[in-house]
């Protein structure tokens, strides 16, 4: 009787121990973890993208400042080659070709550098940068530029990711560009030139 009782106690203890171990070793299912982890990854990715874009905007205007202070002076077309998107540069090249041999100001496309200098001198400070995602490889950025005389102007650009680097793709300013943006204005000019052939 005592042996049976001992055996039953041993079996009961083993059963409880086994059950406790089994419960501890049961992993959480992927379905339980997935939504939480996915949200964290997306937030971190979006935050890191915004930080990359902010750093790139500061680097672009630092490059402009350095070029302006150099012996060669600031050449915005050279700056654009370094910091603008492939599509933008392609359209600018088409514009240059269409304007060759122009005999009047109506035959030339220019905003007189307004997209870089919206009524101010070379920017010294870049403040209040706000980045909004359009797609994983395309963002809008709004920021304020201030020159050495303290003149400030808002700037609104679109940047795209090309070969691992954020490049300025467009400048948005509905008041300055009737077509809505600098890129749209370029396209409208090229379309007009095509129509005159």
């Amino acid at each position: 009787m005592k042996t049976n009782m001992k055996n039953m106690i041993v079996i009961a203890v083993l059963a409880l121990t086994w059950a406790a171990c089994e419960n501890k070793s049961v992993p959480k299912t992927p379905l339980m973890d997935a939504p939480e982890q996915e949200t964290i990854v997306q937030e971190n990715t979006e935050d890191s993208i915004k930080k990359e874009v902010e750093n790139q905007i500061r680097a672009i205007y630092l490059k402009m400042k350095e070029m302006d202070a150099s012996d060669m002076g600031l050449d915005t077309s050279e700056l654009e080659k370094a910091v603008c998107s492939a599509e933008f540069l392609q359209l600018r090249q088409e514009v240059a070709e269409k304007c060759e041999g122009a005999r009047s100001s109506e035959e030339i496309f220019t905003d007189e550098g307004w997209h870089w200098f919206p009524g101010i001198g070379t920017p010294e400070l870049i403040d209040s940068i706000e980045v909004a995602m359009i797609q994983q490889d395309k963002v809008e950025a709004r920021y304020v530029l201030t020159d050495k005389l303290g003149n400030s102007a808002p700037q609104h650009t679109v940047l795209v990711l090309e070969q691992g680097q954020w490049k300025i793709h467009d400048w948005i300013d509905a008041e300055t560009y009737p077509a809505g943006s600098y890129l749209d204005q370029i396209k409208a000019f090229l379309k007009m030139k095509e129509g005159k052939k």
Side-chain angles (χ1 to χ4, degrees):
M1 186 83 171
K2 285 182 180 178
T3 307
N4 284 344
M5 192 66 137
K6 280 182 183 176
N7 286 343
M8 286 177 67
I9 290 169
V10 169
I11 290 168
V13 168
L14 286 171
L16 287 170
T17 307
W18 178 75
C21 290
E22 186 179 48
N23 285 341
K24 281 183 184 174
S25 66
V26 173
K28 289 182 180 177
T29 63
L31 288 175
M32 289 164 61
D33 287 344
E36 199 173 300
Q37 286 178 348
E38 196 174 313
T39 305
I40 290 167
V41 169
Q42 282 179 336
E43 285 172 1
N44 289 342
T45 302
E46 190 166 320
D47 285 347
S48 64
I49 287 171
K50 288 179 178 181
K51 194 65 188 168
E52 278 177 25
V53 171
E54 181 178 337
N55 290 340
Q56 180 63 359
I57 288 167
R58 292 189 188 285
I60 287 168
Y61 284 96
L62 178 61
K63 186 171 184 65
M64 175 192 278
K65 206 165 117 179
E66 287 170 352
M67 286 177 82
D68 193 37
S70 73
D71 293 340
M72 301 298 289
L74 176 58
D75 180 345
T76 53
S77 17
E78 283 303 309
L79 178 65
E80 286 172 5
K81 284 177 193 172
V83 304
C84 290
S85 73
E87 182 186 355
F88 177 84
L89 294 175
Q90 177 60 40
L91 289 170
R92 289 286 282 157
Q93 180 60 35
E94 288 179 39
V95 165
E97 289 167 8
K98 299 286 182 197
C99 292
E100 275 180 17
R103 295 179 183 172
S104 69
S105 58
E106 289 80 25
E107 296 177 76
I108 297 172
F109 175 86
T110 180
D111 74 340
E112 297 178 349
W114 185 268
H115 56 290
W116 285 111
F117 306 102
I120 65 172
T122 303
E124 293 283 316
L125 295 172
I126 300 93
D127 294 314
S128 311
I129 300 175
E130 292 178 11
V131 179
M133 302 290 295
I134 300 173
Q135 299 164 354
Q136 282 292 102
D137 59 352
K138 192 173 188 180
V139 298
E140 277 187 54
R142 293 174 186 269
Y143 42 99
V144 177
L145 303 174
T146 305
D147 66 16
K148 62 175 69 172
L149 298 176
N151 301 309
S152 293
Q155 190 68 289
H156 183 181
T157 54
V158 174
L159 294 92
V160 294
L161 187 63
E162 288 184 354
Q163 297 175 340
Q165 190 174 29
W166 289 96
K167 304 272 191 171
I168 295 184
H169 182 64
D170 201 0
W171 283 259
I172 299 172
D173 186 341
E175 287 182 25
T176 306
Y177 310 116
S181 75
Y182 189 48
L183 211 61
D184 288 338
Q185 200 75 1
I186 290 174
K187 290 175 181 176
F189 173 80
L190 290 170
K191 193 172 178 181
M192 179 268 295
K193 281 288 200 180
E194 285 298 319
K196 286 188 172 179
K197 272 188 172 180

